[in-house]
Amino acid sequence: MNVFQDDAAAATIGGLSIENGTDTVKIFGELIVRKDKVSQRQVEILEQHVQALTAFLKAQSDLPEEAAKGPVAPVEIVANPFG
């Protein structure tokens, strides 16, 4: 996965999902780590993704302290359909 390069790449590691985007990379879900070889490989794959993120961010010379969180969806008030 080329982090921050497209809006389509995704990876799944156990129950953990990593979704690539041009503005954000989302990591969510659950990864249960046991003392076994499957868990070892899953953790190694997770480490590779985190290292790619770290390397990309460290290579940026103009990172802001905190990125804008994007536009806030407008609030639309509608009549209660049950009332």
Side-chain angles (χ1 to χ4, degrees):
M1 177 184 308
N2 292 323
V3 296
F4 296 107
Q5 301 302 307
D6 64 64
D7 289 319
T12 301
I13 307 165
L16 192 69
S17 296
I18 303 171
E19 293 181 356
N20 198 35
T22 55
D23 293 326
T24 61
V25 173
K26 298 174 188 169
I27 302 172
F28 56 92
E30 178 179 70
L31 178 62
I32 297 171
V33 178
R34 295 180 174 87
K35 294 188 275 184
D36 60 23
K37 291 194 179 286
V38 170
S39 292
Q40 178 185 0
R41 182 67 187 135
Q42 289 174 329
V43 170
E44 289 169 349
I45 293 168
L46 176 59
E47 181 181 25
Q48 291 169 5
H49 286 286
V50 171
Q51 286 177 347
L53 281 165
T54 302
F56 180 91
L57 293 170
K58 282 185 175 182
Q60 307 306 301
S61 61
D62 59 348
L63 283 178
E65 185 62 34
E66 184 174 6
K69 292 186 173 70
V72 176
V75 175
E76 180 182 349
I77 299 174
V78 296
N80 182 349
F82 305 106

